Amino acid sequence: MFEILKQIDYTPFYLTLRLAFTTTVILFLTGLPLAYLIAYSKMRFKSVIEALIALPLVLPPSVLGFYLLLILSKNGFLGMFWEKSFGHQLAFHFEGVVIASVIFSFPFMVHPLLSGFRSINKTLIEASYTLGKSKMDTLFRVILPNMKPAILTGIILSFAHTIGEFGVVLMVGGSIDGETKVVSIAIYDAVEKIDYTTAHIYAAVLFALSFFTLLVVYMFNKRFETGM
């Protein structure tokens, strides 16, 4: 068993965690202001924006991956700009996989945050304004501290969902060693080679990691609900 573990290539694990961490950070920084805007602004066409955010939930990964591949390739407008600026296209590179993962996992961050914003008692916000606090002070001192479970849920779900991505990552990044070959792709490659031992090890670790991240969410939310 130890001999098998020594022969395993751990690079896919590094790439997977790097992708999940990078994607989650970007999702939080972009999803938080967007969710706040949707929850509290009176802008028109909110339903259209929410539908666009939720679209990756119902679109087949192959469909989303196909259009992202067109956009991120050297002939696509974004891929062409990136190649002129940085010397390589986005498709089949780590940066392209990050962009695809952010788009594909966007609802897993925005929806929990949106629910969290909408669950805040409006009297708390009005009381803060009455005391002379600005919108920024109210956000960081009243709203965000009272929606910790929603924030954690969004972060963990986005992280876990990115770890398990396959279709979009395969379409946009392919299976390039040290660049885009994450664990889910490594499992697929191992099965194609009828290397079930390697596939089993990769799958078992991925299963355990995904279960642990979800367990953290439920344990934290339960502690928050009981006030412990």
Side-chain angles (χ1 to χ4, degrees):
M1 181 65 180
F2 290 106
E3 290 299 323
I4 295 174
L5 292 176
K6 288 180 181 179
Q7 295 173 7
I8 291 293
D9 180 14
Y10 292 95
T11 306
F13 289 109
Y14 164 72
L15 287 174
T16 300
L17 293 175
R18 181 186 170 197
L19 176 63
F21 178 79
T22 305
T23 300
T24 303
V25 170
I26 295 173
L27 283 172
F28 182 74
L29 294 178
T30 56
L32 187 67
L34 181 59
Y36 178 86
L37 189 65
I38 294 173
Y40 296 125
S41 73
K42 296 181 180 179
M43 63 180 181
R44 300 173 63 185
F45 308 116
K46 278 188 182 182
S47 298
V48 175
I49 296 174
E50 290 188 63
L52 288 173
I53 293 171
L55 200 57
L57 294 174
V58 296
L59 269 181
S62 56
V63 173
L64 183 60
F66 172 69
Y67 284 111
L68 286 174
L69 181 60
L70 294 180
I71 295 171
L72 301 178
S73 66
K74 62 182 179 180
N75 295 321
F77 71 92
L78 187 56
M80 187 182 299
F81 167 78
W82 190 274
E83 187 170 27
K84 289 181 180 178
S85 302
F86 300 99
H88 65 82
Q89 64 177 7
L90 284 167
F92 307 110
H93 283 82
F94 183 79
E95 295 89 342
V97 175
V98 169
I99 294 174
S101 296
V102 167
I103 295 173
F104 191 49
S105 297
F106 211 64
F108 291 89
M109 177 63 77
V110 175
H111 285 172
L113 292 177
L114 191 55
S115 298
F117 281 124
R118 287 172 173 168
S119 68
I120 301 298
N121 194 324
K122 291 185 178 180
T123 57
L124 292 175
I125 300 174
E126 292 170 358
S128 178
Y129 292 156
T130 302
L131 293 173
K133 300 297 181 181
S134 66
K135 287 187 176 181
M136 194 64 69
D137 285 335
T138 302
L139 173 64
F140 286 101
R141 297 186 179 184
V142 177
I143 299 175
L144 294 182
N146 283 282
M147 52 178 281
K148 289 179 182 178
I151 293 173
L152 182 66
T153 299
I155 290 173
I156 297 297
L157 286 181
S158 300
F159 189 86
H161 186 254
T162 304
I163 286 176
E165 284 179 23
F166 174 74
V168 170
V169 173
L170 183 62
M171 290 286 290
V172 174
S175 179
I176 302 174
D177 290 332
E179 185 70 28
T180 62
K181 189 176 180 179
V182 295
V183 176
S184 58
I185 305 300
I187 295 171
Y188 177 78
D189 287 350
V191 172
E192 276 201 322
K193 296 174 183 176
I194 319 180
D195 185 2
Y196 293 137
T197 301
T198 301
H200 173 70
I201 294 173
Y202 281 141
V205 174
L206 201 61
F207 177 88
L209 187 59
S210 299
F211 176 78
F212 177 75
T213 54
L214 292 176
L215 183 63
V216 169
V217 173
Y218 288 114
M219 290 180 64
F220 182 85
N221 286 344
K222 187 174 182 180
R223 287 187 61 185
F224 187 86
E225 290 172 0
T226 57
M228 294 178 62

